Amino acid sequence: MTQHLAAPAAPTTETRTDWWRDAVIYQVYPRSFADGNGDGMGDLEGIRSRLPYLRDLGVDAVWLSPFYASPQADAGYDVADYRAIDPMFGSLLDADAVIRDAHELGLRIIVDLVPNHSSDRHDWFRRALSEGPGSPLRERYHFRPGKGVDGELPPNDWESIFGGPAWTRVPDGEWYLHLFAPEQPDFNWEHPAVQDEFRSILRFWLDMGVDGFRVDVAHGLVKQAGLPDIGRHDQLKLLGNDTMPFFDQDGVHEIYRSWRRVLEEYAGNELGPGGPSSEGRRRETGGRILVAEAWTPTVERAAQYVRPDEMHQAFNFQYLGTSWDAAELREVIDVSLAAMDPVGAPATWVLSNHDVTRHATRLANPPGLGTQLRTPGDRKLGLRRARAATLLMLALPGSAYLYQGEELGLPDVTDLPDEVRQDPSFLRAEGQDGFRDGCRVPIPWTTEGSSYGFGTGGSWLPQPEGWGELSVQAQTGDPGSTLELYRSALAVRRAEPGLGAGGAVEWLDAPDGVLAFAREGFVCTVNTTAETVRIPAPGRVLLGSEEAEVSDGTVHLPADTTVWWAV
């Protein structure tokens, strides 16, 4: 049985402009969260209906993956209109309702922004194609003549992240750059019209009331001058996050300084009472934020995106990719905290998202297999480690990101038939593995039904048989369930003054394979080994991912278990 503290604390009544420093932010992948109209595809109406669930879970903010008008060549990350909602998700009125309802419930809304590229159906790109070479609109993208006698070769040797050349030739003979799918042409961020347009897009959504933006491919906007060749050997390093001529160029930082100035024109949103302990108060909590999805060679390089006049947070992908190993975890925690301290930014922690194998599956497999797996591994072991990893993550100083369904302990669906997969990189050679669909299967809400409560019909990706056993309905009220563990963990995190924001941990002596660290009035112990370990009990148990026996001042810390202590 999970040990837990059930009583949540009342939210602070103080005005806060830095709520993001210790926020727990929940990622909603709109296609797969909740279907409000029964067509098998998640939508804004479905999200709106489930906001009370997120409030009760105990998160502070909701990050919505793209819902913009899009031909869906890359699940909405190919945007045709940044100021419109795709009909499959609803309308601007639906988006307004989600934002308003979230604020009434005490939740903030962060929306995805995709500035590196548009859809090839974007009005600018369609006009650039129809007007031909010399069109001023072609200057807003990267159009180039080809190499070779007749221009039949791409302008350089860059390869798409999804595999194959990063260039596509159009009928008039010119080529355009796309670091991802051909349907996603890259913007030319040296052009002032592109910069003006995105500042306008920011204001559009800020006027709608959003609390911030998660910036997709934040490291990719600026390309090295001249678009030089890379060389085959160096290009193979790309997915290892080495700096490349089209990633992590210094010029991106001035873009984000200009965006920060836009956000600072806006006051914070007024939030409603939130949970039942807030006594009906309303409070202005301020702080619109920018969050960078920046794949960089080092954590130190990522810290440059969160200097005081740039973004507020950057995803910590180095932490996400760390093995379930005490020494490795301690090293990445130390490096992360040390890198963020000089720029005054909080560290962020994340274990799963829409692009990687869920950690309940990833941790079930041997280390070194990467973040995309094709094997389910040991399901029981994976869940046990995932629960322990979550408590470790939530005990660290800074902000944490949760991905929808991880609070249910959902595994990746590794056996989807090829014919139902929709990841655009799945059928493209030499790119990403293309198995991201496994973490995008719609989540189960009820024990029964055609889509386990996802909607009244089916689901756009098939859910596994027996998915209802992992549903919200099945786990609610079960003290040993993963859902109740998350609810308890977020309640304790809010109640304990030593958790949340902060810049350091105090490491304590511990046996090999065990992590132990202290924060104000709090200790976290983590056993990453396959054996029970005996250590002195640091205090009173607050919460455990598994039951830990305490007697005569000693705790028997089970294998793959994290325990929180009040001291």
Side-chain angles (χ1 to χ4, degrees):
M1 179 183 296
T2 304
Q3 297 166 324
H4 63 89
L5 178 70
T12 178
T13 59
E14 297 178 359
T15 296
R16 290 194 58 194
T17 59
D18 62 350
W19 59 269
W20 40 273
R21 287 189 170 274
D22 60 1
V24 176
I25 300 172
Y26 185 100
Q27 180 189 359
V28 165
Y29 192 67
R31 287 169 164 247
S32 302
F33 188 64
D35 173 16
N37 62 9
D39 65 356
M41 182 67 66
D43 49 40
L44 292 172
E45 181 184 348
I47 294 169
R48 184 185 181 194
S49 72
R50 297 295 187 179
L51 288 174
Y53 165 80
L54 297 178
R55 184 269 316 274
D56 295 342
L57 182 62
V59 301
D60 301 292
V62 180
W63 153 32
L64 301 176
S65 292
F67 47 59
Y68 307 107
S70 166
Q72 303 294 319
D74 185 20
Y77 283 94
D78 50 317
V79 181
D81 188 340
Y82 290 85
R83 298 176 181 83
I85 306 297
D86 195 282
M88 70 190 295
F89 298 127
S91 67
L92 279 173
L93 289 176
D94 293 318
D96 179 72
V98 168
I99 295 167
R100 289 176 182 273
D101 282 11
H103 288 166
E104 284 293 325
L105 291 168
L107 297 168
R108 299 168 182 87
I109 293 291
I110 296 170
V111 297
D112 235 308
L113 188 64
V114 188
N116 179 71
H117 47 263
S118 73
S119 166
D120 61 354
R121 307 285 182 86
H122 191 284
D123 182 60
W124 283 4
F125 192 78
R126 295 178 70 169
R127 289 167 56 196
L129 290 182
S130 65
E131 293 174 11
S135 166
L137 284 167
R138 291 203 175 191
E139 298 175 6
R140 301 181 186 185
Y141 294 90
H142 293 277
F143 278 87
R144 297 288 188 276
K147 293 181 178 180
V149 176
D150 299 313
E152 72 278 7
L153 300 176
N156 68 23
D157 65 356
W158 294 3
E159 294 186 3
S160 163
I161 306 304
F162 288 164
W167 295 90
T168 290
R169 198 177 193 188
V170 300
D172 57 45
E174 288 197 327
W175 298 73
Y176 68 88
L177 176 68
H178 53 87
L179 294 184
F180 295 87
E183 297 88 351
Q184 296 169 290
D186 279 42
F187 284 116
N188 173 17
W189 271 90
E190 295 181 3
H191 199 290
V194 175
Q195 299 183 30
D196 289 345
E197 171 68 357
F198 272 88
R199 283 190 290 266
S200 174
I201 292 168
L202 290 175
R203 289 189 172 94
F204 177 87
W205 288 102
L206 290 167
D207 289 341
M208 285 276 290
V210 303
D211 299 279
F213 302 89
R214 176 266 190 186
V215 183
D216 185 61
V217 196
H219 56 299
L221 277 57
V222 173
K223 279 68 173 173
Q224 185 173 327
L227 308 184
D229 284 339
I230 299 173
R232 177 64 177 169
H233 174 75
D234 289 335
Q235 186 137 249
L236 290 175
K237 299 178 182 178
L238 174 59
L239 295 181
N241 298 338
D242 290 74
T243 300
M244 306 298 283
F246 47 79
F247 278 166
D248 196 29
Q249 298 294 303
D250 288 339
V252 300
H253 298 290
E254 184 52 43
I255 295 169
Y256 300 133
R257 292 186 187 101
S258 74
W259 288 15
R260 179 67 172 259
R261 291 192 290 271
V262 171
L263 264 66
E264 289 176 350
E265 298 171 7
Y266 288 78
N269 289 310
E270 185 179 75
L271 297 189
S277 300
S278 57
E279 301 178 7
R281 300 184 185 94
R282 300 183 70 86
R283 60 208 186 278
E284 155 100 15
T285 53
R288 313 288 183 101
I289 71 168
L290 294 167
V291 182
E293 184 212 26
W295 290 88
T296 58
T298 63
V299 180
E300 291 82 1
R301 188 76 184 176
Q304 296 188 22
Y305 289 77
V306 290
R307 289 175 286 196
D309 60 347
E310 295 189 43
M311 296 195 174
H312 300 77
Q313 294 184 346
F315 287 157
N316 190 343
F317 291 115
Q318 283 80 3
Y319 183 76
L320 184 150
T322 302
S323 300
W324 183 240
D325 175 87
E328 292 184 30
L329 287 164
R330 177 168 175 169
E331 180 180 8
V332 75
I333 291 167
D334 282 342
V335 168
S336 300
L337 294 174
M340 295 300 147
D341 183 63
V343 295
T348 65
W349 315 99
V350 62
L351 291 168
S352 289
N353 64 36
H354 65 292
D355 281 334
V356 301
T357 299
R358 289 183 177 277
H359 63 284
T361 295
R362 192 173 68 249
L363 297 178
N365 284 268
L369 295 182
T371 59
Q372 288 296 327
L373 305 174
R374 306 181 193 184
T375 170
D378 183 330
R379 163 72 178 138
K380 185 176 180 180
L381 174 63
L383 179 59
R384 186 183 183 98
R385 288 178 172 176
R387 289 162 57 97
T390 295
L391 287 196
L392 167 59
M393 176 182 74
L394 292 175
L396 295 171
S399 179
Y401 283 78
L402 310 179
Y403 177 53
Q404 64 176 44
E406 72 170 76
E407 76 276 16
L408 305 177
L410 295 185
D412 246 50
V413 181
T414 58
D415 57 354
L416 288 170
D418 289 355
E419 60 269 18
V420 305
R421 293 187 179 273
Q422 299 191 28
D423 186 341
S425 63
F426 178 67
L427 299 177
R428 295 176 65 84
E430 300 180 4
Q432 293 178 342
D433 288 337
F435 284 83
R436 296 178 297 174
D437 290 314
C439 66
R440 300 176 178 182
V441 173
I443 66 175
W445 293 92
T446 59
T447 56
E448 298 179 349
S450 58
S451 60
Y452 301 108
F454 167 66
T456 56
S459 60
W460 68 282
L461 283 174
Q463 299 160 301
E465 186 176 350
W467 208 232
E469 297 173 4
L470 301 176
S471 67
V472 173
Q473 182 182 26
Q475 297 194 40
T476 295
D478 177 357
S481 72
T482 301
L483 175 58
E484 294 299 345
L485 175 67
Y486 271 71
R487 287 172 171 165
S488 295
L490 294 178
V492 174
R493 193 177 192 271
R494 192 178 292 265
E496 289 296 314
L499 291 175
V505 299
E506 177 189 353
W507 293 107
L508 306 176
D509 290 338
D512 289 344
V514 176
L515 293 175
F517 62 85
R519 302 185 66 192
E520 180 186 353
F522 172 87
V523 167
C524 178
T525 55
V526 186
N527 182 6
T528 67
T529 75
E531 304 292 336
T532 296
V533 176
R534 295 179 59 189
I535 60 174
R540 174 176 59 86
V541 172
L542 287 173
L543 183 67
S545 63
E546 304 294 335
E547 189 82 28
E549 179 185 344
V550 181
S551 62
D552 297 326
T554 298
V555 57
H556 297 257
L557 192 62
D560 300 310
T561 295
T562 296
V563 177
W564 289 358
W565 307 83
V567 297

